[in-house]
Amino acid sequence: MRILMVEDARDLAEGVVAQLGRSGILCDLATSLEEARDFRAVQRYDALILDINLPDGSGLSLLREVRAAADRTPVLMLTALSAVDDRVVALDQGADDYLVKPFDQRELEARLRALVRREADRKEEQITLGSLVYAPKDRSARLDGRQLDLTRREATLLDMLIRHRGQFLSKTRLYDSLYGFDDADVGVNAIELYIARLRKKFAGSDITIATQRGVGYRIGLDD
């Protein structure tokens, strides 16, 4: 799961990001609307955590932009504004949930999981490619009826490949789905390692990951 948190209270935000990371949730941090727009221009997210009062405007304006673009990415408003009217306005403008500061980190994570799970339920329950059956809801996979043992990053990589089956995805695009913007010490060539691991798990089956030099990788059936 990859989240974008839009919050200008850096101490609070960095604590949330760190705790989410320990729970296996990758979270990027934007401290302004402009920065949030830049993040969303290059990265897709499973959910947004959005403050209302930001240095360059209201988080509600970003919420309206997201919904006006028919983007159904779940949005959790996280704000000190606790009045019922504030909640009603945010929910009416397209927010999926509303959590008031101060909050319990466990509740934040539970609400995020619920939002992402709800959105996943709206999509297809499973994707079948030959002998591979993939469940987007929990990013689990079975091959020839056998459960595959996938690490979090292997599962994330498989999710990207199988959702775009038939298409070649570049190393850069796959890298952005696996690593946060702060993982500067991890090079894009790390993707080759995870591709090799997936290929090893698919060995002997009808599933293959093809490489097209200079273009990227594509999952498909072995001809």
Side-chain angles (χ1 to χ4, degrees), residues 58 71 113 121:
S58 171
D71 186 338
R113 289 193 296 269
D121 287 344

Side-chain angles (χ1 to χ4, degrees), residues 36-139:
R37 293 183 181 109
D38 289 343
F39 273 77
R40 295 187 69 249
V42 298
Q43 178 63 49
R44 294 179 61 183
Y45 292 97
D46 296 299
L48 305 180
I49 302 173
L50 183 58
D51 190 10
I52 292 180
N53 293 323
L54 293 161
D56 52 349
S58 171
L60 294 176
S61 63
L62 179 60
L63 174 63
R64 289 191 293 270
E65 290 173 22
V66 170
R67 296 300 182 241
D71 186 338
R72 282 304 314 159
T73 301
V75 176
L76 170 64
M77 305 304 296
L78 185 65
T79 174
L81 300 177
S82 59
V84 172
D85 286 349
D86 294 317
R87 301 187 194 195
V88 169
V89 168
L91 294 169
D92 281 348
Q93 294 190 21
D96 297 276
D97 202 353
Y98 195 106
L99 188 59
V100 177
K101 303 172 187 174
F103 57 91
D104 188 297
Q105 178 76 23
R106 295 169 299 174
E107 182 180 4
L108 172 65
E109 292 181 24
R111 287 178 182 243
L112 283 175
R113 289 193 296 269
L115 290 178
V116 172
R117 186 167 59 245
R118 188 185 310 158
E119 181 64 15
D121 287 344
R122 295 179 59 250
K123 301 175 182 177
E124 53 192 318
E125 294 184 0
Q126 65 180 32
I127 300 171
T128 300
L129 180 65
S131 61
L132 179 66
V133 178
Y134 176 73
K137 183 176 180 179
D138 58 2
R139 293 190 175 179

Side-chain angles (χ1 to χ4, degrees), residues 172-204:
T172 301
R173 187 171 180 185
L174 293 172
Y175 175 88
D176 287 342
S177 73
L178 263 67
Y179 296 97
F181 288 95
D182 293 330
D183 291 319
D185 57 330
V186 181
V188 70
N189 288 332
I191 294 300
E192 296 177 5
L193 170 64
Y194 290 103
I195 290 291
R197 290 181 179 177
L198 286 180
R199 282 175 170 157
K200 185 175 181 180
K201 295 180 189 297
F202 296 149

